[in-house]
Amino acid sequence: MKDYKLTFAILTVAIVWGTTFLSIRVAVETIPAWFVAGIRQFLAAIIMLLVLLYRRQFEWIGWKNLGYQIVFSFLMLVMANGLTTVAEETLTSSLTSLISATSPIVVFLGSLALGLQKFTIRALIGLLMCFGGILFIFWDGIKDLANPDYRFGILLLFVAISGWASGTIFTKKLNIQSKNISLNLFYQFAFAGILQIIFAFCFTENYNFGNWSATSIGAMLYLAIFGSVAAFFAYHYALTKVSPVQVSILAYINTIISIFLSWLILNEEISVKFIIAAILIIFGVFVINYNPQMFKKQRIE
């Protein structure tokens, strides 16, 4: 607690990212999903540009690096974030956050296929726990898949997870590193925002701006300012103080916070089987990614 800045950064990441799925659900109640995703990323790009101009760090990154940023942006922001937002038009925020928590499984399996990671007995146990959790999710709700909207939402969510996993593996495979992450993020946000806004006008039948509620607009602004920008800075500040494996523990806290807030604020039903599924998936992902360094007192100088 002596390092109050680090404590504040960690709490910011845990709480803000834990409220992301809730905020998306509130935003898409009256605003079409692609508009939510596009405006969110575009506003984040503007904020990031202002920060870069203030620091006098804005510059051209070169065509090669721009290509990397476009691929990464398409996978992580357009596919993962965009399709997750569209999925929440028909899925609850608690269900979306829980299923999204399985993305490390896809990352692990993809890394395994590419030889970036080794298979272990511990990983097998973690995988079995995660798949057991998924079974609990759909145990009573399998009949819901007969609903085309629900089925389409689940499909989009798994495509979104695949996009996030592909972006993660893409970075790991090419070992992409950046001297100015904020600069790269501006290009990522700008590309995703422009493309998603184009999608919004192309794929949205009714985008009557007069129907957008103040609550949904507020949620969308919260996603841009806090969900995209503030949490990003807090996350990378934490990485300068502690190891990445220690910061990764936040992913498990985010899911718990998201499910709790969905129940508390949106009155979403959380059954006993859903809680069991959450426990299995969270612990399964933890087992797969377990590293003894998670609990060691370690600082990055």
Side-chain angles (χ1 to χ4, degrees), residues 234-249:
Y235 178 77
H236 283 277
Y237 176 80
L239 283 178
T240 66
K241 296 294 182 179
V242 296
S243 66
V245 289
Q246 289 173 317
V247 179
S248 68
I249 298 176

Side-chain angles (χ1 to χ4, degrees), residues 43-58:
L43 288 177
I46 293 175
I47 295 172
M48 197 63 67
L49 176 61
L50 293 176
V51 170
L52 289 167
L53 291 174
Y54 175 77
R55 294 179 174 178
R56 297 182 180 180
Q57 293 178 339
F58 181 72

Side-chain angles (χ1 to χ4, degrees), residues 60-71 170 174 176 184:
W60 172 241
I61 59 175
W63 290 107
K64 183 178 181 180
N65 191 18
L66 179 64
Y68 286 147
Q69 302 315 315
I70 288 177
V71 171
F170 172 76
L174 296 179
I176 298 174
N184 285 346

Side-chain angles (χ1 to χ4, degrees), residues 11-30:
L11 288 175
T12 298
V13 175
I15 295 173
V16 172
W17 281 354
T19 60
T20 296
F21 292 99
L22 170 69
S23 301
I24 291 174
R25 182 61 182 168
V26 173
V28 298
E29 285 181 352
T30 61

